[in-house]
Amino acid sequence: MTLLGGVAYDPVVQRAAAIIGSAIFLVIAPGTLAVYIPWYLTHWHFAPSLFPIARVLGAALIVAGLPILLDSFARFALQGLGTPAPVMPPKRLVVTGFYRYVRNPMYVAVTALIAGQGLLFGSAWVLEYGAIVWAGFFLFVVAYEEPVLGEQFGDEYKRYRANVRRWLPRITPWRG
């Protein structure tokens, strides 16, 4: 049993709440940013290709980004016992899976999904929107997320941060 807000919760209940919360947040946040808005801008109609291999590159970014996003959300719920949403943060620092390569795989994946759609559908508007989203992610991570994780997880996060880059993946996984 773990105390949350003065109430004792069974670990199974904690994990179930984390899974449900993560699924809801997945639909609301990345669903809106990486699915609804690109659809709204393109209606998923193909415009002329932006350059010769743009569609192939776009499809590759989508195919790579989606499993990274889903895996990262699952790890927050199953290992971190929380969600990516600040209202129900993880109780444990998640440093497995894609987090061994890059500190922010969810943001990287969402940006890849948006950029992939821009390239696939030939939409400069979606690419510009993706740049704005990434800038928002950058500011949020630097101004809020990293300081909060530093306070919450202390030396564990400091060590992780020193070994895994924020945006560019490592070649080999960190085994901290």
Side-chain angles (χ1 to χ4, degrees):
M1 296 278 185
T2 301
L3 286 177
L4 293 173
V7 179
Y9 290 96
D10 184 88
V12 173
V13 173
Q14 287 181 34
R15 183 160 283 133
I19 291 168
I20 292 167
S22 285
I24 291 168
F25 189 70
L26 175 67
V27 170
I28 292 171
T32 299
L33 293 174
V35 178
Y36 177 72
I37 294 174
W39 171 84
Y40 182 80
L41 294 172
T42 65
H43 293 280
W44 291 336
H45 291 261
F46 290 92
S49 185
L50 297 173
F51 54 89
I53 63 165
R55 292 197 203 289
V56 172
L57 183 57
L61 286 170
I62 293 166
V63 167
L66 188 58
I68 292 170
L69 181 65
L70 296 176
D71 178 79
S72 298
F73 264 81
R75 286 180 190 285
F76 257 67
L78 300 174
Q79 295 173 351
L81 296 176
T83 73
V87 296
M88 191 180 168
K91 292 165 190 43
R92 296 185 209 139
L93 184 63
V94 179
V95 294
T96 61
F98 292 104
Y99 290 93
R100 296 178 308 154
Y101 295 91
V102 65
R103 286 199 318 259
N104 298 294
M106 283 187 218
Y107 299 136
V108 171
V110 168
T111 304
L113 289 169
I114 295 168
Q117 290 174 85
L119 293 170
L120 182 67
F121 296 111
S123 174
W125 288 107
V126 173
L127 292 174
E128 291 171 12
Y129 161 70
I132 292 167
V133 169
W134 180 83
F137 288 158
F138 182 87
L139 292 173
F140 179 75
V141 164
V142 171
Y144 172 79
E145 196 169 85
E146 288 179 349
V148 168
L149 289 171
E151 287 178 26
Q152 184 178 1
F153 297 110
D155 288 339
E156 181 184 13
Y157 182 67
K158 187 183 288 185
R159 186 166 166 252
Y160 174 64
R161 189 174 165 176
N163 288 283
V164 180
R165 293 183 295 232
R166 185 185 288 144
W167 305 115
L168 297 173
R170 295 166 50 101
I171 304 282
T172 60
W174 181 60
R175 301 203 188 277

Coordinates of all heavy atoms in Angstrom, one line a residue, residues 18-28 73:
A18 N -2.7 4.9 -13.4 CA -1.6 5.4 -14.3 C -1.9 5.0 -15.7 O -1.7 5.9 -16.6 CB -0.2 4.9 -13.8
I19 N -2.3 3.8 -16.0 CA -2.6 3.4 -17.4 C -3.8 4.2 -18.0 O -3.7 4.7 -19.1 CB -2.9 1.9 -17.4 CG1 -1.6 1.1 -17.1 CG2 -3.5 1.4 -18.8 CD1 -1.8 -0.4 -16.8
I20 N -4.8 4.3 -17.2 CA -6.0 5.1 -17.7 C -5.6 6.5 -17.9 O -6.0 7.1 -18.9 CB -7.2 4.9 -16.7 CG1 -7.7 3.4 -16.7 CG2 -8.3 5.9 -17.0 CD1 -8.6 3.1 -15.6
G21 N -4.9 7.1 -16.9 CA -4.5 8.5 -17.0 C -3.6 8.7 -18.2 O -3.8 9.7 -18.9
S22 N -2.7 7.8 -18.4 CA -1.8 8.0 -19.6 C -2.5 7.8 -20.9 O -2.3 8.6 -21.8 CB -0.6 6.9 -19.5 OG 0.3 7.3 -18.5
A23 N -3.5 6.9 -21.0 CA -4.2 6.7 -22.2 C -5.1 8.0 -22.5 O -5.1 8.4 -23.7 CB -5.1 5.5 -22.1
I24 N -5.7 8.5 -21.5 CA -6.5 9.8 -21.7 C -5.6 10.9 -22.1 O -5.9 11.6 -23.1 CB -7.2 10.1 -20.4 CG1 -8.3 9.1 -20.1 CG2 -7.8 11.5 -20.5 CD1 -9.0 9.2 -18.8
F25 N -4.4 11.1 -21.5 CA -3.5 12.1 -21.8 C -2.9 11.9 -23.2 O -2.8 12.9 -24.0 CB -2.4 12.2 -20.8 CG -1.5 13.5 -21.0 CD1 -2.0 14.7 -20.7 CD2 -0.2 13.3 -21.4 CE1 -1.2 15.9 -20.9 CE2 0.6 14.4 -21.6 CZ 0.1 15.7 -21.3
L26 N -2.7 10.7 -23.6 CA -2.2 10.4 -25.0 C -3.2 10.9 -26.0 O -2.8 11.5 -27.0 CB -2.0 8.9 -25.1 CG -1.6 8.4 -26.5 CD1 -0.2 8.9 -26.9 CD2 -1.6 6.8 -26.5
V27 N -4.5 10.6 -25.8 CA -5.5 11.0 -26.8 C -5.6 12.6 -26.8 O -5.7 13.2 -27.9 CB -6.9 10.4 -26.4 CG1 -8.0 11.0 -27.3 CG2 -6.8 8.9 -26.7
I28 N -5.6 13.2 -25.6 CA -5.8 14.6 -25.5 C -4.6 15.4 -26.1 O -4.7 16.3 -26.9 CB -6.1 15.1 -24.1 CG1 -7.5 14.5 -23.7 CG2 -6.1 16.6 -23.9 CD1 -7.8 14.7 -22.2
F73 N 4.8 6.3 -23.5 CA 3.7 6.5 -22.6 C 3.4 5.2 -21.8 O 3.1 5.3 -20.6 CB 2.4 6.7 -23.5 CG 2.1 8.2 -23.6 CD1 2.7 9.0 -24.5 CD2 1.1 8.7 -22.8 CE1 2.4 10.3 -24.6 CE2 0.8 10.1 -22.9 CZ 1.5 10.9 -23.8

